């Protein structure tokens, strides 16, 4: 029974019908906005490769967080740039460091906004790697204790969720145990479970001043050629106590996102639409080569359609405005 009985175009004829039969929804409440917090006051330093995104001091970050909440966006994820970097990334677990103070300030001034913290050492180490470097290599097991301290430090400051992005083996377990021991048994872990060694992080490393001084991250982040391995990484993180798992980057790894969704139904799943994806979109839109607004929503819809429950994205504010305008 095909044509002319079957005419798929019948339900595409007007916007109301298209909306009614649309399989995938996209709302501001599905989005998390990343922010880069720096020491000082009144600082707003634009990041050249990420139009619209700036490094912000805490006072400015609070103002931006207020705007994010008013747009209906679910929450923020905070990255810190310390005043001083050293070999062990000490400011990452200093209670008076930039992130604990930012968390406190945002929690106090912007109730109702979810505050997630990125747990990693690369922004805080002078060598720019995500852990303790020993003989030119990142020492997995020595790094675990520092990550656990960082997570507890963020929890004490009031983080709603901690998100380890380092890709050390066993870090979810180490963080879970430390949180439980310190009275944070109910605080969720969002694990960057399948995080690839990606060229798409370039602009982020400018924003977070976290490019490795030597070598690269291929010894701990995943090889772009692997898909099955992502399922193993996700399974391990869940066993260790991850509450939400994430695939990163998003667009070039939509197949991975879909496979994780199918293999682990019911597990909360996030995707990180990373800095390089945002930079490509903005660059092409600035030149008039694509319709930036339309493509912004199309990208985020594709990530939701692939299986993500929610998306970390630099486009969160743009998308929330577009979605709000479409409704009005
Ligand atoms: C820290 C971290 C990175 C990103 C998130 N957390 C950079 C990296 O691994 O080099 C990248 C996010 C982005 O590109 O937007 N380890």
């Amino acid at each position: 029974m095909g044509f002319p009985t079957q005419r798929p175009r019948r339900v595409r004829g007007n916007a109301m019908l298209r909306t009614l039969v649309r399989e995938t929804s996209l709302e501001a409440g599905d989005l998390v906005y990343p922010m880069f917090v720096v020491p000082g006051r009144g600082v707003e330093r634009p990041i050249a490769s990420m139009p619209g995104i700036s490094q912000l001091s805490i006072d400015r970050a609070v103002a931006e967080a207020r705007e994010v909440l008013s747009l209906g966006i679910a929450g923020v994820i905070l990255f810190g740039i310390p005043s001083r970097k050293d070999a062990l990334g000490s400011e990452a677990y200093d209670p008076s460091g930039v992130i604990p103070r930012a968390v406190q300030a945002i929690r106090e001034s912007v109730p109702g906004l979810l505050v997630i913290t990125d747990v990693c050492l690369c922004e805080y180490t002078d060598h720019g790697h995500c852990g303790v470097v020993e003989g030119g290599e990142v020492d997995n097991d020595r790094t675990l204790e520092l990550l656990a301290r960082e997570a507890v430090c963020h929890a004490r400051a009031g983080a709603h969720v901690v998100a380890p992005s380092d890709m050390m083996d066993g870090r979810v377990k180490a963080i879970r145990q430390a949180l439980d021991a310190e009275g944070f048994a109910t605080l969720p872990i969002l694990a960057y479970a399948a995080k690839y060694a990606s060229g798409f992080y370039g602009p982020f490393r400018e924003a977070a001043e976290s490019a490795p001084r030597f070598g690269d991250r291929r010894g701990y982040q995943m090889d772009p050629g692997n898909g099955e391995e992502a399922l193993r990484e996700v399974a391990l993180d869940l066993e260790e106590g991850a509450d939400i798992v994430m695939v990163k980057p998003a667009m070039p790894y939509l197949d991975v996102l879909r496979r994780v969704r199918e293999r682990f139904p019911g597990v909360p799943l996030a995707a990180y639409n990373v800095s390089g994806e945002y930079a490509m979109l903005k660059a092409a839109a600035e030149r008039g080569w694509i319709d930036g607004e339309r493509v912004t929503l199309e990208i985020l819809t594709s990530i939701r359609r692939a299986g993500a429950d929610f998306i970390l994205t630099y486009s969160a504010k743009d998308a929330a405005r577009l979605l709000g305008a479409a409704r009005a």
Side-chain angles (χ1 to χ4, degrees):
M1 189 184 55
F3 180 81
T5 312
Q6 299 289 336
R7 285 184 185 269
R9 286 184 53 183
R10 287 191 198 112
V11 292
R12 295 180 197 145
N14 65 58
M16 293 82 80
L17 266 174
R18 288 193 293 272
T19 304
L20 270 183
V21 301
R22 186 167 302 135
E23 298 168 31
T24 307
S25 68
L26 177 68
E27 292 170 24
D30 302 325
L31 308 176
V32 171
Y33 185 64
M35 299 207 299
F36 301 100
V37 191
V38 294
R41 270 196 72 79
V43 183
E44 185 165 349
R45 210 175 292 133
I47 298 150
S49 52
M50 301 175 73
I53 308 290
S54 298
Q55 293 180 336
L56 302 172
S57 52
I58 294 174
D59 53 322
R60 296 294 179 95
V62 167
E64 174 132 83
R66 230 176 249 126
E67 186 194 355
V68 167
L69 179 70
S70 74
L71 287 165
I73 294 164
V76 292
I77 179 163
L78 305 181
F79 297 92
I81 292 95
S83 44
R84 206 177 56 84
K85 301 189 187 226
D86 61 28
L88 295 178
S90 312
E91 207 177 305
Y93 33 91
D94 178 348
S96 57
V98 68
I99 286 298
R101 286 189 292 119
V103 170
Q104 275 160 11
I106 294 173
R107 285 294 314 268
E108 214 172 277
S109 309
V110 197
L113 185 70
L114 190 80
V115 179
I116 306 173
T117 58
D118 185 83
V119 174
C120 194
L121 296 179
C122 62
E123 298 105 276
Y124 302 93
T125 52
D126 49 15
H127 45 70
H129 277 287
C130 301
V132 180
V133 172
E134 202 55 76
E137 295 265 345
V138 176
D139 185 321
N140 190 87
D141 299 9
R142 278 186 63 200
T143 302
L144 297 182
E145 189 220 337
L146 301 185
L147 293 168
R149 276 166 67 179
E150 183 179 7
V152 168
C153 176
H154 293 175
R156 287 201 182 114
H160 289 112
V161 178
V162 292
S165 67
D166 52 284
M167 287 302 275
M168 296 303 118
D169 293 330
R171 92 275 206 212
V172 173
K173 182 176 181 182
I175 289 170
R176 185 72 273 157
Q177 284 176 344
L179 289 174
D180 290 0
E182 296 297 324
F184 298 104
T186 61
L187 194 130
I189 298 175
L190 160 56
Y192 287 70
K195 175 173 175 179
Y196 286 86
S198 172
F200 285 90
Y201 307 150
F204 174 95
R205 291 177 188 175
E206 179 196 341
E209 302 172 13
S210 66
R213 296 276 174 274
F214 64 89
D216 54 42
R217 303 209 205 290
R218 291 176 219 260
Y220 40 103
Q221 298 179 348
M222 284 180 55
D223 189 282
N226 293 350
E228 285 298 315
E229 190 191 5
L231 301 177
R232 177 162 182 243
E233 281 282 7
V234 167
L236 288 171
D237 280 5
L238 290 171
E239 262 171 48
E240 290 181 23
D243 301 282
I244 307 169
V245 293
M246 182 151 67
V247 173
K248 174 185 172 192
M251 263 198 292
Y253 298 87
L254 289 181
D255 59 320
V256 175
L257 200 52
R258 166 54 42 184
R259 285 162 80 170
V260 171
R261 174 74 298 155
E262 284 175 357
R263 179 73 66 89
F264 302 96
V267 169
L269 178 58
Y272 201 139
N273 177 221
V274 303
S275 58
E277 300 175 66
Y278 179 77
M280 287 197 306
L281 158 67
K282 288 293 181 184
E286 247 168 41
R287 292 182 173 212
W289 289 354
I290 58 173
D291 174 341
E293 296 188 346
R294 186 172 171 184
V295 171
T296 295
L297 295 181
E298 189 171 341
I299 288 171
L300 298 176
T301 300
S302 76
I303 299 168
R304 289 268 300 137
R305 192 186 62 235
D309 294 312
F310 66 97
I311 307 166
L312 283 63
T313 179
Y314 304 96
S315 298
K317 292 198 306 178
D318 293 342
R321 283 196 196 98
L322 293 168
L323 293 166
R327 207 169 301 132

